[in-house]
Structure formats: C-alpha cells, structure tokens
Amino acid sequence: RARKRFGQHFLHDPGIIDRLVRTVAPMAGQKLVEIGPGRGALTYPLLEQVAHLDVVELDRDLIHLLREAVPEERLTIHQADALRFDFRPLAGDLKLRVVGNLPYNISTPLIFHLLEQAEVIGDMTFMLQKEVVDRLTAAPGTGDYGRLSVMVQYHCQADYLFFVPPGAFQPPPKVDSAVVRLTPHATAPWPARDPVYLGKLVNQAFTQRRKAVRNALKTLVEPDIFDALGIDPGLRPDHLSVADYVALANATG
Ligand code: SAM
C-alpha cells in the first residue's frame, strides 16, 4: 500500500519511465543519485545503464524490497530524509546527476536544499507537479513567474521537458505532472554579492506583485537607483529579469 504522508505515487507507465530514463541518458562512469526510489520504477532501468547507483529513501519497507532485489555493490541505499541529507560526500571528483520522481509535498524545500549544495551537482531531472515546473521555468512577464522562478533561475538553467498525466502513476495523483531539468550554472551569470539579501529583496517584491516595483521595494531601494541601473521603476515585479533583481540587490544590500 502506498503511504500518503510520504507522497507515494508509483510510476507504472512503461512509456513514461522509458522516456524519463532516456532523457537522463545516464552514461557508464557517471555518478547517479536517485531521490525516493520507492519500488524501483526508475531504479531498475537506471541500473541497466550504470554500474552503481546511490538512492535516498525514507520508507523502511521499500528499502527492504530494494535491498533484497539488488546487491550492495550495485546499489547503495541511504535510509534518510532527503531534506536533511548531505549529498556532498557522494560526489568525489565527479559531479552528481540527481534524478527523482519526488514526493510533491516536499519538492520546493528539497530543491532549495539541493541548491545549497549546487557545487557538487551536475544536473537534476525531476518529476514534479506540473504547476511547480511551470513556475520553475517561467519567463518574466508571464503569470507563473515569481519568487520561485527568480531564485531557482539565479542558480540554474531550468528546462521544461515533458508533460505526464495522472494515469501514469499508481495511485494517480490529483494533479498533472511534468519533468524538469535543472542545471546549476558552472559560473554564476549574474553573481549576487549577498545571496541571502537577494532572497529577501525578491521576496519583498513578490509579496506585492500587483504594485509598481518602485512601490513594492520602497523600503529597500531608493528611487534614483532604478534610473542608474536602467530599470523602469513603473514595471510590475513580475516583469523584472533575474539579472535586474541581482543588480538591484548588489546596488542596495
Ligand atoms: N521513484 C518511485 C516511482 O517513480 O515509482 C517512487 C516515487 S514516490 C512519488 C516518492 C518516493 O519518495 C517514495 O518512495 C517515498 O517513500 C519517498 N520519500 C518521501 N519522502 C521522502 C523524504 N523526505 N526523503 C527521501 N525519500 C522520501
């Protein structure tokens, strides 16, 4: 039986599983980590491509099944909460390729937890609630663009890969799903002097997303700073680019 509190919706559509694994296209010698392997829907096909896999799973019963099916030299099972897991020691010389059909109730904090360790991550391919993928990959000026888009795109290239209907899972979730690829920037295209302050500024801007940005940010940014940076202060917060937010943060923080 699937455990609701662990967000367990198991993939069972072979076409979707195959597409996801082909999208990851794991190559021999790469360091792969799967978050939430569950009953192994992705784990087994991934193990056909690589000699060894690390997985992080919370549910003891599922770990049992995996342990019985795959020998230790091929599969290292970390029984842990992925939200607290330190991925850095797994990396060694090679960056990690992270894969997962994530529990949707923890997907946003998990992405932020992984971004804190972005220096050891080559890329991440995740199945997520489609609405979250839309926000992760949104461009300025679109309805889905917000705090999550800016903060994730500050760290990563975010690409929408493909749509997945509820019927691909057992039991089917109530929402549509999609697969996203997040690729941490090797060097920051717009380095923020103080990323924590950047987060604060972006947060403040989007709590008042219907106001002009000059008003939404009036406690943090003097009006003449917009002119100096060439940013129209009459724009709404959802029309500023990631580069604009970094420029505002670097000029004021
Ligand atoms: N990968 C499998 C599949 O595609 O069929 C299972 C996906 S299911 C959506 C999510 C999996 O993540 C479950 O196996 C669940 O037990 C596990 N999980 C839930 N919360 C977790 C956490 N905090 N840390 C690690 N694994 C977790």
Side-chain angles (χ1 to χ4, degrees), residues 7-215:
Q8 290 177 351
H9 296 278
F10 300 108
L11 264 171
H12 79 143
D13 180 325
I16 298 287
I17 292 169
D18 185 54
R19 190 162 177 201
L20 187 45
V21 173
R22 274 188 292 121
T23 299
V24 177
M27 300 212 281
Q30 289 180 335
K31 219 41 196 122
L32 237 64
V33 185
E34 186 188 0
I35 298 175
R39 294 179 183 145
L42 297 171
T43 319
Y44 300 127
L46 289 171
L47 276 168
E48 286 173 17
Q49 316 287 323
V50 291
H52 179 266
L53 188 63
D54 281 274
V55 297
V56 182
E57 171 63 61
L58 200 51
D59 187 333
R60 230 178 263 263
D61 299 340
L62 297 177
I63 288 174
H64 230 76
L65 296 175
L66 288 169
R67 188 69 295 156
E68 280 174 3
V70 190
E72 264 171 64
E73 61 271 21
R74 299 217 52 210
L75 184 69
T76 304
I77 304 178
H78 306 272
Q79 187 188 348
D81 180 350
L83 281 173
R84 294 158 186 272
F85 190 74
D86 184 0
F87 291 82
R88 293 180 191 97
L90 304 185
D93 291 338
L94 287 177
K95 291 202 177 185
L96 305 175
R97 302 199 65 204
V98 185
V99 184
N101 167 18
L102 299 186
Y104 293 173
N105 52 338
I106 62 161
S107 56
T108 308
L110 184 56
I111 288 171
F112 280 101
H113 177 66
L114 287 158
L115 290 177
E116 284 171 14
Q117 315 178 36
E119 76 279 6
V120 300
I121 298 175
D123 67 1
M124 304 180 255
T125 309
F126 290 140
M127 175 85 72
L128 297 170
Q129 192 172 336
K130 179 179 178 291
E131 187 197 307
V132 174
V133 173
D134 287 338
R135 285 161 54 206
L136 291 170
T137 57
T142 64
D144 292 318
Y145 185 74
R147 188 179 88 91
L148 187 64
S149 327
V150 176
M151 294 317 293
V152 167
Q153 292 171 30
Y154 169 70
H155 292 282
C156 304
Q157 168 73 28
D159 297 303
Y160 183 111
L161 299 182
F162 59 91
F163 174 82
V164 181
F169 305 86
Q170 192 54 252
K174 290 201 179 71
V175 294
D176 287 334
S177 301
V179 176
V180 69
R181 158 94 30 89
L182 302 176
T183 312
H185 301 302
T187 46
W190 328 275
R193 227 169 345 101
D194 178 355
V196 175
Y197 174 70
L198 172 68
K200 182 182 158 188
L201 182 134
V202 170
N203 203 19
Q204 164 138 352
F206 282 101
T207 48
Q208 310 190 52
R209 64 183 290 145
R210 309 210 156 271
K211 287 192 175 175
V213 68
R214 98 164 74 71
N215 294 326

